[in-house]
Amino acid sequence: FNGNGSVGFTQTSLSNWAKGGESSLALLVMTKYNANYSKDKTKWENSIEFRYGISQTKTRGFEKNDDKIELQSRYGFSAFKKWYYSVETNFRTQIDRGYAFPDKIHPISAFMSPGYLTISFGLDYKPNKNFSLFLAPFTSKTTYITDTMSVKPLTYGLEPGKKKLWEPGIIVKTNWHANLAENITYDTKGEFFNNYRYNFQKFAFEWEQIFVMRVNRLINVKVMTDLIYDYNTKFPILDFTGKEIGREPKWQFKELFTIGLSYRL
């Protein structure tokens, strides 16, 4: 069992971020816990991550700038050498509504809108405790929009009136942890999903990086970046009058810089 958390001030830079937000100074709360088991030829890895940030600017007042709930469980049985036959369940959503400024009446996201449930079967390569490569050619991905009265299903690839979208495909995930110096760590994870129905023409990609420099036992400096592309997440296309004439996916990028209190278990 292990975990870590932090509460700190944050400088945020956003570009085409689907959940809404504005570059600002803010307060960010983060926590992540792991419960892992390994014996003989089996391994079982579990994690839960929570992030929530709020900001206040002159143009928007109080508003969230980060919002994430993620639960993951992966069970593996030794196949050969460093490879494991593995099954993974991953669930992601957020807890609060998000808006696209200046519209603070109609939300573009909310709890379970969207919500993502992914179930994958494949092979997990683990040469050591700090690296993992998961290849899952049998993957079921379901996107949920439970609040269709407030959040437009079309924004996340669903047809009007529908509350869920099921996609079969292949998923590739990688995780790496490195100690760059005595008090500096680097964690990165990437994820690529392809829907079999579109023959690699449409895909979803996410790459997250976290640098942590520990100043002392209670204070650290944290820099995080998140790069996302999801062909199901559509942004409005506006004409010269500001009228919406269509929607298209865009690359999303977020950067957070935090100095604050931290703890480790």
Side-chain angles (χ1 to χ4, degrees), residues 12 33 45 47 68 100 120 128-130 135-136 144 151 155 166 171 181 212-213 215 220 222 236:
T12 306
Y33 294 97
E45 301 172 338
S47 67
K68 178 182 180 181
S120 306
N128 54 63
K129 66 179 182 179
N130 293 325
L135 307 174
Y144 296 92
V151 179
T155 302
W166 178 75
I171 199 167
V212 179
M213 181 177 69
V215 179
N220 69 16
K222 184 175 295 184

Coordinates of all heavy atoms in Angstrom, one line a residue, residues 12 33 45 47 68 100 120 128-130 135-136 144 151 155 166 171 181 212-213 215 220 222 236:
T12 N -1.8 27.9 -14.0 CA -2.4 27.0 -15.1 C -2.3 27.7 -16.4 O -2.7 28.8 -16.6 CB -3.8 26.6 -14.7 OG1 -3.9 26.1 -13.4 CG2 -4.4 25.6 -15.7
Y33 N -3.7 6.8 -4.4 CA -3.4 5.7 -3.6 C -3.3 4.4 -4.5 O -4.0 4.3 -5.5 CB -4.5 5.4 -2.5 CG -4.6 6.5 -1.5 CD1 -5.6 7.6 -1.7 CD2 -3.8 6.6 -0.4 CE1 -5.6 8.6 -0.8 CE2 -3.9 7.6 0.5 CZ -4.8 8.6 0.3 OH -4.9 9.6 1.3
E45 N -2.8 -5.1 -9.4 CA -2.4 -3.7 -9.2 C -3.7 -2.8 -9.2 O -4.5 -2.9 -10.1 CB -1.5 -3.2 -10.2 CG -0.2 -4.0 -10.2 CD 0.8 -3.6 -11.4 OE1 0.2 -3.0 -12.4 OE2 2.0 -3.8 -11.3
S47 N -5.4 1.2 -8.3 CA -5.1 2.6 -8.0 C -6.4 3.4 -8.0 O -7.3 3.1 -8.8 CB -4.1 3.2 -8.9 OG -4.6 3.2 -10.3
K68 N -10.8 15.4 -11.9 CA -10.5 14.1 -12.3 C -10.8 13.1 -11.2 O -10.3 13.2 -10.1 CB -9.1 13.9 -12.8 CG -8.7 12.5 -13.3 CD -7.3 12.5 -13.8 CE -6.9 11.1 -14.3 NZ -5.4 11.1 -14.7
A100 N -17.8 26.5 -20.7 CA -17.0 27.2 -21.7 C -17.3 28.7 -21.7 O -18.3 29.2 -22.1 CB -17.3 26.7 -23.1
S120 N -10.3 -4.3 -20.7 CA -9.3 -4.7 -21.7 C -8.7 -6.0 -21.3 O -8.5 -6.3 -20.1 CB -8.2 -3.6 -21.8 OG -8.7 -2.3 -22.0
N128 N 10.5 -4.5 -14.9 CA 10.9 -4.1 -13.5 C 9.7 -3.3 -12.9 O 8.7 -3.1 -13.6 CB 12.1 -3.2 -13.5 CG 12.0 -2.0 -14.4 OD1 11.1 -1.1 -14.3 ND2 12.8 -2.0 -15.5
K129 N 9.8 -2.9 -11.7 CA 8.6 -2.3 -11.0 C 8.4 -0.9 -11.5 O 7.3 -0.3 -11.1 CB 8.9 -2.3 -9.5 CG 10.0 -1.4 -9.1 CD 10.2 -1.4 -7.5 CE 11.3 -0.4 -7.1 NZ 11.5 -0.4 -5.6
N130 N 9.3 -0.3 -12.3 CA 9.1 1.1 -12.7 C 8.6 1.3 -14.1 O 8.4 2.4 -14.5 CB 10.4 1.9 -12.6 CG 10.9 2.0 -11.1 OD1 10.1 2.2 -10.2 ND2 12.2 1.9 -10.9
L135 N -0.5 -4.2 -23.8 CA -1.1 -4.3 -25.1 C -2.4 -5.1 -25.1 O -2.3 -6.3 -24.7 CB -0.1 -5.0 -26.1 CG 1.3 -4.4 -26.1 CD1 2.3 -5.3 -26.9 CD2 1.3 -3.0 -26.7
A136 N -3.5 -4.5 -25.4 CA -4.8 -5.1 -25.2 C -5.6 -5.0 -26.5 O -6.3 -4.1 -26.8 CB -5.6 -4.5 -24.1
Y144 N -20.3 7.4 -21.3 CA -21.7 7.6 -20.7 C -21.9 9.2 -20.6 O -21.0 9.9 -20.3 CB -21.8 7.0 -19.3 CG -21.7 5.5 -19.3 CD1 -20.4 4.9 -19.1 CD2 -22.8 4.7 -19.4 CE1 -20.3 3.5 -19.0 CE2 -22.7 3.4 -19.4 CZ -21.5 2.8 -19.2 OH -21.4 1.4 -19.1
V151 N -25.9 18.5 -20.7 CA -24.7 18.3 -21.5 C -25.1 17.7 -22.9 O -25.8 16.7 -22.9 CB -23.7 17.4 -20.8 CG1 -22.5 17.2 -21.7 CG2 -23.3 18.0 -19.4
T155 N -21.3 16.5 -28.2 CA -20.0 17.0 -27.9 C -19.0 15.8 -27.6 O -17.8 16.0 -27.9 CB -20.1 17.8 -26.6 OG1 -21.0 18.9 -26.8 CG2 -18.7 18.4 -26.2
W166 N -20.8 2.7 -27.2 CA -19.9 1.5 -27.0 C -19.0 1.4 -28.2 O -19.4 1.5 -29.4 CB -20.7 0.2 -26.9 CG -19.8 -1.0 -26.7 CD1 -19.1 -1.3 -25.6 CD2 -19.5 -2.0 -27.7 NE1 -18.4 -2.5 -25.9 CE2 -18.6 -2.9 -27.1 CE3 -19.9 -2.1 -29.0 CZ2 -18.1 -4.0 -27.9 CZ3 -19.4 -3.2 -29.7 CH2 -18.6 -4.1 -29.1
I171 N -6.2 -1.1 -27.3 CA -5.6 -0.1 -26.4 C -4.2 -0.4 -26.1 O -3.8 -1.6 -25.9 CB -6.5 0.1 -25.2 CG1 -6.2 1.5 -24.5 CG2 -6.2 -1.0 -24.2 CD1 -7.1 1.9 -23.5
A181 N 16.9 12.5 -9.7 CA 17.9 13.0 -8.7 C 17.4 12.5 -7.4 O 16.4 11.9 -7.2 CB 18.1 14.5 -8.8
V212 N 8.2 16.0 -10.0 CA 8.1 16.4 -8.6 C 9.5 16.6 -8.0 O 10.3 15.8 -8.1 CB 7.3 15.3 -7.8 CG1 7.2 15.7 -6.3 CG2 6.0 15.1 -8.3
M213 N 9.7 17.8 -7.4 CA 10.9 18.1 -6.7 C 10.6 18.3 -5.2 O 9.8 19.3 -4.9 CB 11.6 19.3 -7.3 CG 12.9 19.7 -6.6 SD 13.8 21.1 -7.3 CE 12.6 22.4 -6.8
V215 N 11.2 19.7 -1.8 CA 12.0 20.7 -1.1 C 12.4 20.2 0.3 O 13.5 20.3 0.7 CB 11.2 22.0 -1.0 CG1 12.1 23.1 -0.2 CG2 10.9 22.5 -2.4
N220 N 6.7 20.4 -1.6 CA 7.3 20.0 -2.9 C 6.8 20.9 -4.0 O 5.9 21.7 -3.9 CB 6.9 18.5 -3.3 CG 5.5 18.3 -3.6 OD1 4.7 19.3 -3.8 ND2 5.0 17.1 -3.6
K222 N 5.6 20.8 -8.0 CA 5.1 19.8 -9.0 C 4.7 20.5 -10.3 O 4.1 21.5 -10.3 CB 3.9 19.1 -8.4 CG 3.3 18.0 -9.2 CD 2.2 17.3 -8.5 CE 2.7 16.6 -7.3 NZ 1.7 15.8 -6.6
P236 N -16.8 23.5 -31.1 CA -17.6 24.3 -32.0 C -16.7 24.9 -33.1 O -15.6 25.4 -32.8 CB -18.3 25.3 -31.2 CG -18.3 24.8 -29.8 CD -17.0 24.0 -29.7

